[in-house]
């Protein structure tokens, strides 16, 4: 399986079931040239068995040359290594995921060894793209084991006022995930000004903001 290498700048973590939100998933697939990748999250991970609806949408994304990133929670370096590796294998086997999205990633140097081992396991399993969602700027060493680092996840109000010191790492791209973004705001410019070449802006708020489509894709429904 070849690894998609599209030039898109949108990373879409859309945590809704394709059978419940088919129009939204069609809009995501239709936006393929604009996407960096899509996070596939059937059940806060791959679940206990393959889901045909997610397998179908993953196949459509891959056919459109979009990176499919399997969601895996790492609990800030506390989740057992074997459980994370099991999730990676399931995402690959059931959904053909060509990358991994490690959520709740630790940011300190003390946990770096944990993520270095996970990266080696992911590469060994055939994952071509590794994304670490720290939600904040991590120690620069993490740039050595990931293709994309999420260095901000939070609300638009926080994003507007937070200071972003120059990134000290090298060899990887940065991403900002922002929720509660008002309609009409194009996040691409503000993200670039803060050092991120990949981004996502959604209107959702509360406990489940990633159940809403990015503003950039709403017109495609």
């Amino acid at each position: 399986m070849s690894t998609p290498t599209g030039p898109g700048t949108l990373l879409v973590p859309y945590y809704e079931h394709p059978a419940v939100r088919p129009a939204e998933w069609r809009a995501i697939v239709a936006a393929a040239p604009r996407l960096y990748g899509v996070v596939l999250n059937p059940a806060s991970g791959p679940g206990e068995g393959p889901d045909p609806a997610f397998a179908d949408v993953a196949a459509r994304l891959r056919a459109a040359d979009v990176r499919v990133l399997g969601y895996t929670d790492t609990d800030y370096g506390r989740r057992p290594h074997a459980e994370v590796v099991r999730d990676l294998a399931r995402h690959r086997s059931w959904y053909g995921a060509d990358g991994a999205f490690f959520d709740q990633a630790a940011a300190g140097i003390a946990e770096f060894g944990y993520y270095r081992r996970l990266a080696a396991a992911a590469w060994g399993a055939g994952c071509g793209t590794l994304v670490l969602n720290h939600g904040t700027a991590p120690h620069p060493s993490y740039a050595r084991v990931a293709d994309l680092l999420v260095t901000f996840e939070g609300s638009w109000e926080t994003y507007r006022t937070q200071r972003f010191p120059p990134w000290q790492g090298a060899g990887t791209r940065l991403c900002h995930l922002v929720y509660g973004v008002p309609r009409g705001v194009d996040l691409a410019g503000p993200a670039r000004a803060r050092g991120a070449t990949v981004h996502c802006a959604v209107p959702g708020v509360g406990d489940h903001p990633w159940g809403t489509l990015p503003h950039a894709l709403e017109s495609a429904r």
Side-chain angles (χ1 to χ4, degrees), residues 140-189:
S141 293
Y142 285 92
R144 292 158 44 194
V145 298
D147 300 283
L148 186 70
L149 299 176
V150 179
T151 57
F152 180 89
E153 180 180 359
S155 72
W156 171 244
E157 289 304 316
T158 300
Y159 192 68
R160 291 174 59 196
T161 58
Q162 182 168 314
R163 293 182 65 253
F164 289 79
W167 170 244
Q168 300 300 315
T172 192
R173 298 172 72 181
L174 306 183
C175 173
H176 294 164
L177 302 178
V178 188
Y179 53 79
V181 180
R183 189 178 302 277
V185 172
D186 183 355
L187 194 67

Side-chain angles (χ1 to χ4, degrees), residues 15-120:
Y15 301 158
E16 291 290 334
H17 198 280
V20 178
R21 297 285 187 269
E24 285 80 355
W25 277 105
R26 285 194 297 271
I28 292 171
V29 176
R34 303 162 63 188
L35 304 181
Y36 175 88
V38 174
V39 182
L40 205 71
N41 187 12
S44 296
E48 294 303 314
D51 184 316
F54 275 101
D56 175 71
V57 79
R60 285 188 280 142
L61 288 166
R62 293 197 313 274
D65 203 32
V66 176
R67 294 178 178 90
V68 177
L69 307 170
Y71 176 98
T72 302
D73 184 3
T74 66
D75 192 23
Y76 303 104
R78 295 187 293 261
R79 192 169 178 220
H81 176 87
E83 291 185 11
V84 180
V85 172
R86 180 196 62 195
D87 280 1
L88 292 173
R90 288 177 172 178
H91 276 300
R92 287 281 292 165
S93 175
W94 297 345
Y95 307 114
D98 39 53
F101 181 88
F102 291 136
D103 198 20
Q104 297 199 108
I109 190 60
E111 294 82 14
F112 176 68
Y114 172 90
Y115 290 94
R116 183 170 52 196
R117 288 183 62 215
L118 286 185

